[in-house]
Each structure stands twice: as structure tokens, then as C-alpha cells.
Amino acid sequence: MKTLVKPVAATLLAAFLALPAMAQEIAAPDLDTLPAADVWFLGEVHDNAAHHLGQARAVAALAPKALVFEMVGPEPGDLPAFDDAAALADALNWGEGWPDFALYHPIFLAAPDARIYGAEVPRERARRAFSEGAAAVFGPEAGRYGLDTPLAPGDQAARVEEQFAAHCGAMPREMMTGMVEAQRLRDASLAEAAARAYAETGGPVAVITGNGHARRDHGAPALLAGAAPELRILTLGQIERGGEAPEAPPYDLWLLTEPAPREDPCAGLKG
């Protein structure tokens, strides 16, 4: 088992960006032949069922020893057989705010022997990060995941704009600084869970999370690379067609999919 290395905060992002990146679009059949890595971050749009089927397809090919879920609490404990969806959802305390567990069940079935890890940040901790900052809430290991280092002004401004857009422009911009801190806390929680999963199982590890947390530039993969630069980390984003996809998506690999049918998520907020 490899020993995780405590990072130097100044090398947090450089350590990850120094890794070779494929940076290319793939098609669905390519999910069956993903390259090997110690940790894969598999992104999603949460309510898109096709994205979860894509994750399940990737997980079946990668055969991870551990699965880390953004949607699961930190200590899932003993779990029933993965084929019993209702019992599994109950044991995981699959909570309010996430899509129906049925969308995610195929991912569990794709790795029936994997150990399950959770990285969900409870609302109370997210609220504290909003007001106190991510480092104060994360605790003594905050420096290991770069939380004790303020973001560069340009990076901070870009993240504020991302959060402003994500909240439909319906909240004051000055509130977005707190939202950025909550996002940093979630990124660090995912990175920490992935590091622990690798240390305890020897990997490979697959992390199931939203596209925003799977970004290789400043999401959880970048924080994990700073904490454990010896790990081979790769990222996959699943991007819906018709959206505002960047010309160069911030993932090693990305897959374009059809959008899920949904009502305008901003309609209620703007109204």
C-alpha cells in the first residue's frame, strides 16, 4: 500500500496539472476500455439517468475495490447485498435532496464487491463553511487539501461567477463568496474520502460525483493530487448537449450526452 504524502500548499494545483492529461472527447463504447488509474472521478449531472448508466458502465470496466459517493454519509457501515435496492437505500440513509436511489443503483450492481465510502457534507457543515470558511469547518487537515490557502483573485472571481450562474443569478453576488467556500469544503471532503479509500483498499477507487466536483483544474481531483501526488488520477465529465459546454472541458475525458427532460430549474427562483 502506498503512503499518502502531506502536501505543500503552494504545489497543490501544480502537482496535478503536471500529470499527463488526455483531454479528449470519447463515445459511450469507450467507457468499456478506460485506462487504468489509482483513482477515477466519474462526473454526472445528478438527475440525468443516462449519466448514471454511463458511470455504471465505467465502473464495471474499472472493477474498483472502492466506490466513493458524494451522496452518502461518511460512515455508511455494514451494508446489505447490493441487489436489494430498497434495503441498500435504507442502510445508506439515502437522503432528501438527491435524485431517487433507483438512478444510482446500477452503479452499485456494477461493483458488487466494492467497499463503499461516503463524502456527503451535511447541510449544517455547509452552512458553517458559508459563514466561517471551509478551512475552519474541515479541521486540522485543512492544509493538506489546500483549504488554508486563499484563492488567487482571478480564480476567486471565476468561481464566484460560476456559483452566481449555478444559482440562476437569483441571489446577490456578495453571497457567492460563501457558496465558493461551501464548494471547496465539498471538494476537500471528496478528496479526503478518496484518499482514505485508496489507503484502506489499495485501489483502484471510483468516485461518483457531480461534474463540478470532478473538474481536474480546481475540483476534488486537484485537491487529492496535492495531498497524494504519487497517485494516478483521471477524470471523466459527462456533459449535456445544448448547454454551455466549454470549448476545452476541464476533464481528462468527456462524453457528450442528451439532456435529461426537466423543468427550468431557474423558473421558481427567478419568479
Side-chain angles (χ1 to χ4, degrees):
M1 186 180 298
K2 296 179 182 177
T3 302
L4 299 181
V5 177
K6 187 173 182 178
V8 177
T11 65
L12 174 66
L13 188 57
F16 188 47
L17 296 183
L19 293 174
M22 290 170 281
Q24 61 181 307
E25 183 181 347
I26 63 171
D30 296 318
L31 295 172
D32 298 328
T33 56
L34 294 176
D38 295 319
V39 181
W40 263 101
F41 284 83
L42 303 175
E44 64 181 52
V45 175
H46 295 312
D47 65 347
N48 192 317
H51 288 190
H52 303 307
L53 293 177
Q55 289 167 325
R57 188 169 181 174
V59 164
L62 295 170
K65 291 183 181 178
L67 286 170
V68 176
F69 284 85
E70 178 191 353
M71 311 82 192
V72 174
E75 301 294 339
D78 295 331
L79 299 175
F82 290 176
D83 58 354
D84 188 336
L88 183 58
D90 184 61
L92 292 169
N93 294 313
W94 195 263
E96 181 183 353
W98 297 114
D100 191 278
F101 181 75
L103 294 181
Y104 289 84
H105 191 218
I107 303 169
F108 290 86
L109 295 178
D113 298 320
R115 185 169 172 180
I116 304 303
Y117 291 79
E120 185 177 30
V121 174
R123 289 182 181 178
E124 181 273 332
R125 282 174 60 83
R127 291 191 185 103
R128 283 184 55 207
F130 183 97
S131 58
E132 301 173 28
V137 177
F138 193 81
E141 291 287 281
R144 182 178 185 182
Y145 295 96
L147 298 181
D148 61 347
T149 303
L151 299 176
D155 190 10
Q156 175 72 18
R159 296 201 202 190
V160 163
E161 288 306 309
E162 288 171 8
Q163 289 297 317
F164 187 69
H167 290 84
C168 306
M171 299 172 67
R173 268 193 175 82
E174 54 266 27
M175 292 183 66
M176 296 302 106
T177 298
M179 295 294 186
V180 170
E181 288 300 303
Q183 187 81 346
R184 294 183 74 190
L185 177 63
R186 294 185 177 99
D187 285 334
S189 296
L190 280 161
E192 180 186 50
R196 182 160 57 92
Y198 184 82
E200 293 177 357
T201 69
V205 176
V207 181
I208 305 300
T209 186
N211 282 331
H213 295 300
R215 298 173 62 120
R216 68 167 283 122
D217 53 354
H218 63 62
L223 303 190
L224 178 59
E230 76 281 8
L231 294 183
R232 170 70 170 170
I233 303 166
L234 292 174
T235 65
L236 170 73
Q238 297 187 86
I239 303 169
E240 294 182 332
R241 299 181 191 277
E244 295 183 4
E247 292 185 8
Y251 313 100
D252 294 294
L253 302 174
W254 64 89
L255 182 67
L256 293 179
T257 75
E258 295 305 314
R262 64 174 70 90
E263 295 180 1
D264 181 1
C266 295
L269 289 173
K270 291 182 176 179

